[in-house]
Amino acid sequence: MNRVHAAGDHHHDAEDMAAMMTQEFWEDRYRSAAAIWSGNPNPRLVEQATGLAPGTALDVGSGEGADAIWLAARGWQVTGLDISTVALDRAAQRAAQVGQEIADRITWQQADLLTWSSSTIQPPAVQFDLVSAQFMHLPRGTMQAVHRALAAAVRPGGTLLIVGHHPSDLDSTMARPRVPEMFYTADEIAAELDPTEWEIVVAAAPERAATDPDGRSVMIRDAVLNAVRRR
Protein backbone atom coordinates (compact mmCIF):
# COMPACT_ATOMS: atom_id res chain seq x y z
CA MET A 1 0.00 0.00 0.00
CA ASN A 2 0.98 3.53 0.64
CA ARG A 3 4.16 4.95 1.63
CA VAL A 4 6.78 7.63 2.04
CA HIS A 5 8.02 4.39 2.39
CA ALA A 6 11.01 3.82 0.80
CA ALA A 7 11.13 0.37 -0.64
CA GLY A 8 7.96 -0.29 -2.55
CA ASP A 9 6.81 -3.57 -3.99
CA HIS A 10 9.16 -3.90 -6.98
CA HIS A 11 12.35 -5.92 -7.13
CA HIS A 12 15.35 -3.68 -6.56
CA ASP A 13 18.83 -4.48 -5.39
CA ALA A 14 20.95 -2.48 -2.96
CA GLU A 15 22.23 -0.15 -5.72
CA ASP A 16 18.69 0.99 -6.41
CA MET A 17 17.95 1.92 -2.82
CA ALA A 18 19.55 5.37 -2.93
CA ALA A 19 17.31 6.37 -5.82
CA MET A 20 14.25 5.02 -4.03
CA MET A 21 14.95 7.26 -1.04
CA THR A 22 14.43 10.45 -3.05
CA GLN A 23 11.37 12.61 -3.48
CA GLU A 24 11.94 12.56 -7.23
CA PHE A 25 11.56 8.76 -7.34
CA TRP A 26 8.19 8.88 -5.60
CA GLU A 27 6.89 11.86 -7.56
CA ASP A 28 7.72 9.99 -10.78
CA ARG A 29 6.18 6.76 -9.52
CA TYR A 30 2.89 8.41 -8.60
CA ARG A 31 2.80 10.30 -11.89
CA SER A 32 3.24 6.99 -13.75
CA ALA A 33 -0.34 5.85 -13.12
CA ALA A 34 -3.70 7.17 -12.04
CA ALA A 35 -3.46 4.93 -8.97
CA ILE A 36 -0.51 3.07 -7.48
CA TRP A 37 -2.27 1.39 -4.55
CA SER A 38 -5.58 -0.45 -4.21
CA GLY A 39 -7.54 2.38 -2.61
CA ASN A 40 -8.33 0.13 0.36
CA PRO A 41 -6.99 0.72 3.87
CA ASN A 42 -4.18 -1.54 5.01
CA PRO A 43 -5.72 -4.67 6.56
CA ARG A 44 -3.49 -4.57 9.65
CA LEU A 45 -4.57 -1.00 10.37
CA VAL A 46 -8.21 -2.06 10.15
CA GLU A 47 -7.50 -5.09 12.33
CA GLN A 48 -5.62 -3.20 15.03
CA ALA A 49 -7.41 0.18 15.07
CA THR A 50 -11.06 -0.81 14.73
CA GLY A 51 -11.56 -1.04 18.50
CA LEU A 52 -9.76 2.20 19.37
CA ALA A 53 -11.66 5.30 20.45
CA PRO A 54 -11.21 8.04 17.83
CA GLY A 55 -8.71 10.77 18.65
CA THR A 56 -5.75 12.29 16.85
CA ALA A 57 -3.78 10.13 14.41
CA LEU A 58 -0.55 10.45 12.45
CA ASP A 59 -0.46 8.35 9.25
CA VAL A 60 3.19 8.15 8.21
CA GLY A 61 3.62 7.41 4.52
CA SER A 62 0.03 8.25 3.73
CA GLY A 63 0.38 7.71 -0.02
CA GLU A 64 -2.92 8.08 -1.85
CA GLY A 65 -4.76 8.49 1.42
CA ALA A 66 -6.71 5.25 1.95
CA ASP A 67 -5.63 4.78 5.58
CA ALA A 68 -6.15 8.44 6.51
CA ILE A 69 -9.57 8.47 4.87
CA TRP A 70 -10.57 5.26 6.65
CA LEU A 71 -9.56 6.75 10.01
CA ALA A 72 -11.27 10.09 9.34
CA ALA A 73 -14.47 8.30 8.36
CA ARG A 74 -14.44 6.79 11.85
CA GLY A 75 -14.06 10.12 13.60
CA TRP A 76 -10.30 10.52 13.84
CA GLN A 77 -8.52 13.83 13.29
CA VAL A 78 -5.69 12.73 11.00
CA THR A 79 -2.37 14.12 9.84
CA GLY A 80 -1.31 12.33 6.66
CA LEU A 81 2.40 12.63 5.95
CA ASP A 82 4.15 11.63 2.72
CA ILE A 83 7.24 12.52 0.70
CA SER A 84 5.30 12.92 -2.57
CA THR A 85 3.30 16.04 -3.32
CA VAL A 86 1.61 14.14 -6.18
CA ALA A 87 0.39 11.52 -3.70
CA LEU A 88 -0.75 14.15 -1.23
CA ASP A 89 -2.71 16.06 -3.87
CA ARG A 90 -4.31 12.82 -5.04
CA ALA A 91 -5.16 11.87 -1.46
CA ALA A 92 -6.77 15.26 -0.78
CA GLN A 93 -8.89 14.94 -3.92
CA ARG A 94 -10.04 11.48 -2.94
CA ALA A 95 -10.90 12.59 0.58
CA ALA A 96 -13.01 15.41 -0.85
CA GLN A 97 -14.78 12.93 -3.13
CA VAL A 98 -15.66 10.77 -0.14
CA GLY A 99 -17.15 13.75 1.65
CA GLN A 100 -16.24 17.21 2.91
CA GLU A 101 -16.84 16.22 6.53
CA ILE A 102 -14.18 13.53 6.18
CA ALA A 103 -11.81 15.76 4.20
CA ASP A 104 -12.04 18.41 6.92
CA ARG A 105 -10.71 15.91 9.47
CA ILE A 106 -7.45 15.37 7.54
CA THR A 107 -4.37 17.60 7.28
CA TRP A 108 -1.89 16.62 4.56
CA GLN A 109 1.81 17.32 5.14
CA GLN A 110 4.85 16.78 2.92
CA ALA A 111 8.01 15.48 4.63
CA ASP A 112 11.08 13.39 3.82
CA LEU A 113 11.72 10.74 6.46
CA LEU A 114 15.46 10.71 5.71
CA THR A 115 15.75 14.18 7.24
CA TRP A 116 12.55 14.19 9.29
CA SER A 117 13.88 12.11 12.19
CA SER A 118 17.06 14.16 12.64
CA SER A 119 15.87 17.68 11.84
CA THR A 120 13.40 20.21 13.13
CA ILE A 121 10.69 18.63 10.93
CA GLN A 122 9.54 16.45 13.81
CA PRO A 123 6.04 15.45 14.83
CA PRO A 124 5.08 17.33 17.99
CA ALA A 125 6.03 15.26 21.02
CA VAL A 126 3.33 13.24 22.81
CA GLN A 127 0.55 14.65 20.65
CA PHE A 128 -1.12 11.70 18.90
CA ASP A 129 -3.48 9.02 20.16
CA LEU A 130 -2.41 6.80 17.23
CA VAL A 131 0.77 6.82 15.19
CA SER A 132 0.61 4.40 12.25
CA ALA A 133 3.40 3.47 9.84
CA GLN A 134 2.41 0.79 7.34
CA PHE A 135 5.03 -0.98 5.22
CA MET A 136 7.65 1.72 5.56
CA HIS A 137 11.04 0.24 4.71
CA LEU A 138 14.23 2.23 5.20
CA PRO A 139 17.93 1.53 5.80
CA ARG A 140 18.37 0.05 9.28
CA GLY A 141 19.95 3.07 11.02
CA THR A 142 17.47 5.51 9.52
CA MET A 143 14.58 3.18 10.27
CA GLN A 144 15.50 2.98 13.95
CA ALA A 145 15.77 6.76 14.18
CA VAL A 146 12.37 7.15 12.53
CA HIS A 147 10.85 4.60 14.90
CA ARG A 148 12.17 6.62 17.87
CA ALA A 149 10.60 9.77 16.44
CA LEU A 150 7.29 7.99 15.88
CA ALA A 151 7.29 6.63 19.43
CA ALA A 152 8.01 10.10 20.81
CA ALA A 153 4.91 11.42 19.05
CA VAL A 154 2.52 9.11 20.93
CA ARG A 155 0.79 10.58 23.98
CA PRO A 156 0.27 8.57 27.19
CA GLY A 157 -2.44 5.99 26.58
CA GLY A 158 -1.89 6.25 22.83
CA THR A 159 -1.01 3.52 20.35
CA LEU A 160 2.08 3.02 18.19
CA LEU A 161 1.31 0.75 15.23
CA ILE A 162 4.18 -0.29 12.96
CA VAL A 163 3.60 -2.87 10.23
CA GLY A 164 6.13 -4.10 7.70
CA HIS A 165 7.19 -6.97 5.49
CA HIS A 166 8.55 -9.82 7.60
CA PRO A 167 12.06 -11.12 6.72
CA SER A 168 10.54 -14.44 5.65
CA ASP A 169 9.11 -12.62 2.62
CA LEU A 170 12.63 -12.48 1.22
CA ASP A 171 12.19 -16.17 0.36
CA SER A 172 8.78 -15.69 -1.26
CA THR A 173 7.95 -15.06 -4.90
CA MET A 174 6.57 -11.63 -4.03
CA ALA A 175 8.37 -8.69 -5.60
CA ARG A 176 10.38 -7.42 -2.67
CA PRO A 177 13.62 -5.43 -2.51
CA ARG A 178 16.30 -8.04 -1.83
CA VAL A 179 17.91 -5.96 0.90
CA PRO A 180 17.61 -7.93 4.17
CA GLU A 181 18.50 -4.99 6.43
CA MET A 182 15.32 -3.21 5.33
CA PHE A 183 13.12 -5.98 6.75
CA TYR A 184 12.40 -6.48 10.44
CA THR A 185 10.41 -8.50 12.92
CA ALA A 186 7.93 -7.11 15.41
CA ASP A 187 10.16 -8.30 18.25
CA GLU A 188 13.02 -6.20 16.89
CA ILE A 189 10.83 -3.10 16.95
CA ALA A 190 9.53 -3.95 20.42
CA ALA A 191 13.11 -4.21 21.67
CA GLU A 192 13.63 -0.55 20.72
CA LEU A 193 10.93 0.54 23.19
CA ASP A 194 11.54 1.15 26.89
CA PRO A 195 9.41 -1.46 28.75
CA THR A 196 8.85 0.99 31.60
CA GLU A 197 7.13 3.33 29.16
CA TRP A 198 5.43 0.90 26.78
CA GLU A 199 3.07 -2.06 26.98
CA ILE A 200 3.43 -4.41 24.02
CA VAL A 201 -0.09 -5.38 22.96
CA VAL A 202 0.86 -7.28 19.80
CA ALA A 203 4.26 -8.37 18.50
CA ALA A 204 3.51 -10.99 15.89
CA ALA A 205 4.06 -12.24 12.35
CA PRO A 206 0.57 -13.19 11.13
CA GLU A 207 0.08 -14.69 7.69
CA ARG A 208 -2.20 -13.43 4.94
CA ALA A 209 -2.91 -14.40 1.37
CA ALA A 210 -1.46 -12.38 -1.48
CA THR A 211 -0.98 -12.63 -5.23
CA ASP A 212 2.55 -12.56 -6.61
CA PRO A 213 3.56 -10.82 -9.88
CA ASP A 214 2.88 -14.02 -11.82
CA GLY A 215 -0.66 -14.25 -10.53
CA ARG A 216 -0.01 -17.09 -8.09
CA SER A 217 -1.63 -17.17 -4.67
CA VAL A 218 0.97 -17.16 -1.91
CA MET A 219 1.05 -16.76 1.85
CA ILE A 220 3.11 -13.91 3.24
CA ARG A 221 3.85 -12.65 6.74
CA ASP A 222 3.60 -9.16 8.16
CA ALA A 223 5.62 -7.84 11.08
CA VAL A 224 2.97 -6.27 13.34
CA LEU A 225 3.87 -4.18 16.39
CA ASN A 226 1.08 -2.62 18.45
CA ALA A 227 2.30 -0.88 21.60
CA VAL A 228 0.56 1.46 24.05
CA ARG A 229 2.43 4.21 25.89
CA ARG A 230 1.88 3.77 29.62
CA ARG A 231 0.04 6.58 31.39
Side-chain angles (χ1 to χ4, degrees):
M1 225 219 95
N2 337 356
R3 297 15 286 187
V4 173
H5 27 257
D9 293 327
H10 294 295
H11 184 112
H12 294 272
D13 58 23
E15 287 71 26
D16 294 322
M17 290 300 106
M20 294 183 68
M21 299 299 132
T22 66
Q23 181 178 356
E24 181 181 9
F25 174 91
W26 287 103
E27 301 289 21
D28 288 345
R29 185 169 183 196
Y30 280 107
R31 289 191 191 103
S32 71
I36 296 297
W37 312 113
S38 69
N40 300 317
N42 275 297
R44 301 304 179 194
L45 172 68
V46 174
E47 174 186 279
Q48 298 294 323
T50 292
L52 299 179
T56 56
L58 177 64
D59 177 21
V60 182
S62 52
E64 293 165 331
D67 285 3
I69 291 168
W70 182 85
L71 287 165
R74 283 149 185 80
W76 292 82
Q77 294 289 329
V78 186
T79 298
L81 184 150
D82 203 280
I83 194 172
S84 169
T85 58
V86 175
L88 292 168
D89 289 346
R90 188 174 293 170
Q93 292 171 6
R94 292 182 177 179
Q97 291 169 357
V98 173
Q100 195 58 47
E101 182 180 0
I102 290 172
D104 288 344
R105 293 196 189 107
I106 309 173
T107 299
W108 305 104
Q109 179 182 342
Q110 193 277 337
D112 183 345
L113 290 184
L114 292 181
T115 56
W116 180 64
S117 62
S118 59
S119 73
T120 57
I121 310 174
Q122 292 266 15
V126 296
Q127 172 171 317
F128 296 98
D129 297 297
L130 171 65
V131 173
S132 172
Q134 303 282 316
F135 302 101
M136 180 181 66
H137 292 270
L138 298 161
R140 185 57 61 108
T142 300
M143 181 168 58
Q144 291 171 335
V146 169
H147 287 171
R148 287 193 294 270
L150 299 185
V154 180
R155 64 168 41 128
T159 296
L160 175 65
L161 178 60
I162 298 176
V163 179
H165 298 306
H166 189 271
S168 62
D169 275 11
L170 288 165
D171 298 323
S172 77
T173 56
M174 296 296 291
R176 301 283 190 247
R178 304 305 180 191
V179 185
E181 74 162 44
M182 300 181 75
F183 291 70
Y184 49 80
T185 68
D187 287 338
E188 288 174 322
I189 310 170
E192 299 173 9
L193 301 175
D194 184 342
T196 67
E197 296 184 9
W198 292 90
E199 176 188 356
I200 306 302
V201 178
V202 175
E207 287 188 330
R208 61 185 170 94
T211 302
D212 74 9
D214 295 323
R216 294 171 295 196
S217 180
V218 297
M219 297 301 295
I220 60 175
R221 289 185 181 274
D222 298 323
V224 180
L225 183 284
N226 178 334
V228 172
R229 181 185 285 278
R230 300 184 190 277
R231 297 181 184 276

